């Protein structure tokens, strides 16, 4: 039977990553999550036709890998940018396709100097321009930024500080008039103020936001909470109310706990902790062209990539690997809140994640 284009691509991805994971798993013969051979953090993966493209930092630069059914773990990495100006630590590059060009957004700097930068090219793995700093409003510490289009408007979402000190990392959103051009103010859409996202702090963290659109067309921002240096790291969800304004914080409803994590105490009711990995977080929905307009419908599971540490292994940044997983839409899910403007509850689609 011939599958629809979207599903056939997903089937090809699932086959490729499962084959790669099977080749790279360490503990043969035991049940485990599908770990790739990529010992790295902060995955960013998109699909263009039958090709899967990923990007990661390489210390002082950025590398891109491209693969069809061979598996990304075995694909050669091509350096596409080097930190010739000595900007500093290069974190969490995110590859986006917009208007037929590829844009890689990344954070670079030292300490409080981290800011968002962008490079772009007509090809995914060569020919990138020199970096330019994004002129985000207020010019504060910023990491983990990504671009998406919702209802015909480009948006940029990232993790940053309200001021100049490392108190907490909030999620911010800004309109974009083009892939390189923020316009207007930045708006906070989430702060780490719930008990389950303050288990590990100093600072308390909301980071690694990724946009996706649910089967009703409502916007979601799935993000990572708790410290990335801890096995309490997890994924949670923000759901924009139907017809809501993405810049108005009270039009966003937050899941009442982690949706993908390894600690039962922080999980949302009805969601189970992971069996094989600790601290899953900083994920990538693997979408056609990286476009939330191609977000999958309700029904089957769809692929994602995330980083985590294998259970039984000391939790540290050095022990993080990319893992392949799946997710599915989960309907009729109520998110509740109290003592804020607007309705205290919102019922709609949520997500379930699987190792």
């Amino acid at each position: 039977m011939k599958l629809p284009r979207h599903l056939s691509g997903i089937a090809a991805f699932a086959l490729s990553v499962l084959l790669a994971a099977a080749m790279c798993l360490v503990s043969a013969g035991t049940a485990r999550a599908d770990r790739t051979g990529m010992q790295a953090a902060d995955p960013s993966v998109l699909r263009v036709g039958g090709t899967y493209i990923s990007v990661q930092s390489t210390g002082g630069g950025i590398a891109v890998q491209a693969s069809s059914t061979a598996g990304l773990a075995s694909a050669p990495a091509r350096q596409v940018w080097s930190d010739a100006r000595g900007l500093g630590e290069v974190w969490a590059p995110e590859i986006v396709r917009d208007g037929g060009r590829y844009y890689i957004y990344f954070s670079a700097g030292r300490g409080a100097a981290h800011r968002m930068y962008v490079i772009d090219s007509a090809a995914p793995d060569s020919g990138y321009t020199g970096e330019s700093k994004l002129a985000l409003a207020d010019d504060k510490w910023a990491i983990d930024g990504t671009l998406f289009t919702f209802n015909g408007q480009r948006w940029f979402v990232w993790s940053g500080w309200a001021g100049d000190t490392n108190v907490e990392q909030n999620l911010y959103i800004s309109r974009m008039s083009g892939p390189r051009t923020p316009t207007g103010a930045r708006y906070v859409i989430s702060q780490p103020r719930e008990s389950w996202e303050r288990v590990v702090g100093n600072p308390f963290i909301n980071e690694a936001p990724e946009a996706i659109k649910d089967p009703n067309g409502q916007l979601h921002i799935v993000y990572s909470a708790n410290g990335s240096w801890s096995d309490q790291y997890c994924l949670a969800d923000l759901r924009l109310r139907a017809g809501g304004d993405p810049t108005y914080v009270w039009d966003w409803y937050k899941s009442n706990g982690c949706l993908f994590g390894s600690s039962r105490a922080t999980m949302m009711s009805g969601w189970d902790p992971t069996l094989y990995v600790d601290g899953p977080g900083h994920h990538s929905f693997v979408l056609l062209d990286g476009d939330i307009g191609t977000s999958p419908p309700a029904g089957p599971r769809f692929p994602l990539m995330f980083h985590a540490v294998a259970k039984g292994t000391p939790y540290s940044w050095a022990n993080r690997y990319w893992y392949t997983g799946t997710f599915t839409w989960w309907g009729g899910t109520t998110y509740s809140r109290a003592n804020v403007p607007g309705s205290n509850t919102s019922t709609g689609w949520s997500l379930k994640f699987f190792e």
Side-chain angles (χ1 to χ4, degrees):
M1 180 177 71
K2 185 175 181 180
L3 293 170
R5 181 168 176 254
H6 186 63
L7 292 182
S8 63
I10 288 169
F13 175 80
L15 176 60
S16 70
V17 294
L18 286 173
L19 286 173
M23 293 167 57
C24 300
L25 287 169
V26 176
S27 303
T30 61
R32 59 254 170 176
D34 289 324
R35 191 177 89 178
T36 72
M38 300 170 77
Q39 190 170 8
D42 310 332
S44 175
V45 185
L46 55 78
R47 178 169 72 88
V48 179
T51 301
Y52 298 88
I53 302 164
S54 72
V55 62
Q56 60 180 294
S57 60
T58 59
I62 293 171
V64 169
Q65 290 171 274
S67 176
S68 54
T69 57
L72 285 171
S74 60
R78 296 191 63 178
Q79 187 104 351
V80 298
W81 177 84
S82 296
D83 185 15
R85 291 200 292 136
L87 294 173
E89 301 157 328
V90 178
W91 291 348
E94 184 85 8
I95 190 164
V96 172
R97 196 163 187 247
D98 185 288
R101 290 187 69 83
Y102 295 88
Y103 294 83
I104 297 176
Y105 299 91
F106 61 95
S107 179
R110 294 179 178 86
H114 271 274
R115 297 295 188 272
M116 291 302 308
Y117 294 83
V118 61
I119 57 178
D120 67 272
S121 175
D125 58 357
S126 64
Y128 279 86
T129 61
E131 77 281 355
S132 61
K133 179 182 167 185
L134 284 185
L136 295 169
D138 300 330
D139 191 26
K140 302 299 183 184
W141 188 91
I143 66 168
D144 293 355
T146 190
L147 180 83
F148 66 93
T149 299
F150 178 65
N151 288 345
Q153 169 67 56
R154 289 185 182 93
W155 299 92
F156 194 75
V157 62
W158 73 99
S159 176
W161 299 349
D164 296 316
T165 56
N166 192 7
V167 176
E168 63 182 6
Q169 290 177 218
N170 305 320
L171 297 184
Y172 293 93
I173 197 167
S174 174
R175 290 180 176 87
M176 300 282 283
S177 60
R180 286 176 167 266
T181 313
T183 181
R186 65 171 183 162
Y187 300 89
V188 65
I189 60 173
S190 182
Q191 295 173 285
R193 301 291 176 82
E194 301 300 321
S195 60
W196 52 268
E197 55 186 353
R198 295 174 69 88
V199 177
V200 173
N202 193 25
F204 297 110
I205 283 175
N206 284 178
E207 64 184 11
E210 294 288 339
I212 194 166
K213 192 164 63 172
D214 73 24
N216 285 344
Q218 288 174 244
L219 178 63
H220 293 244
I221 301 291
V222 177
Y223 67 96
S224 298
N226 289 309
S228 64
W229 57 91
S230 161
D231 61 6
Q232 297 293 324
Y233 206 48
C234 70
L235 295 183
D237 180 40
L238 294 173
R239 180 175 63 219
L240 186 68
R241 72 171 181 85
D245 177 0
T247 69
Y248 182 54
V249 65
W250 302 123
D251 277 352
W252 291 95
Y253 286 79
K254 182 178 290 190
S255 58
N256 297 115
C258 301
L259 302 182
F260 194 38
S262 54
S263 172
R264 183 170 294 279
T266 61
M267 300 300 292
M268 182 163 163
S269 177
W271 271 251
D272 293 320
T274 51
L275 295 175
Y276 309 117
V277 300
D278 283 328
H282 203 130
H283 71 299
S284 180
F285 295 114
V286 183
L287 301 178
L288 176 62
D289 294 325
D291 179 5
I292 71 167
T294 68
S295 296
R301 297 183 186 182
F302 294 89
L304 77 151
M305 196 80 78
F306 61 94
H307 80 230
V309 173
K311 281 190 181 294
T313 302
Y315 198 95
S316 70
W317 284 346
N319 287 335
R320 294 176 297 186
Y321 279 81
W322 287 17
Y323 284 81
T324 64
T326 58
F327 73 97
T328 190
W329 291 108
W330 202 257
T333 304
T334 299
Y335 296 166
S336 61
R337 60 191 190 182
N339 304 317
V340 298
S343 175
N344 285 340
T345 62
S346 170
T347 300
W349 292 98
S350 185
L351 307 97
K352 286 212 172 184
F353 297 90
F354 305 90
E355 297 169 89

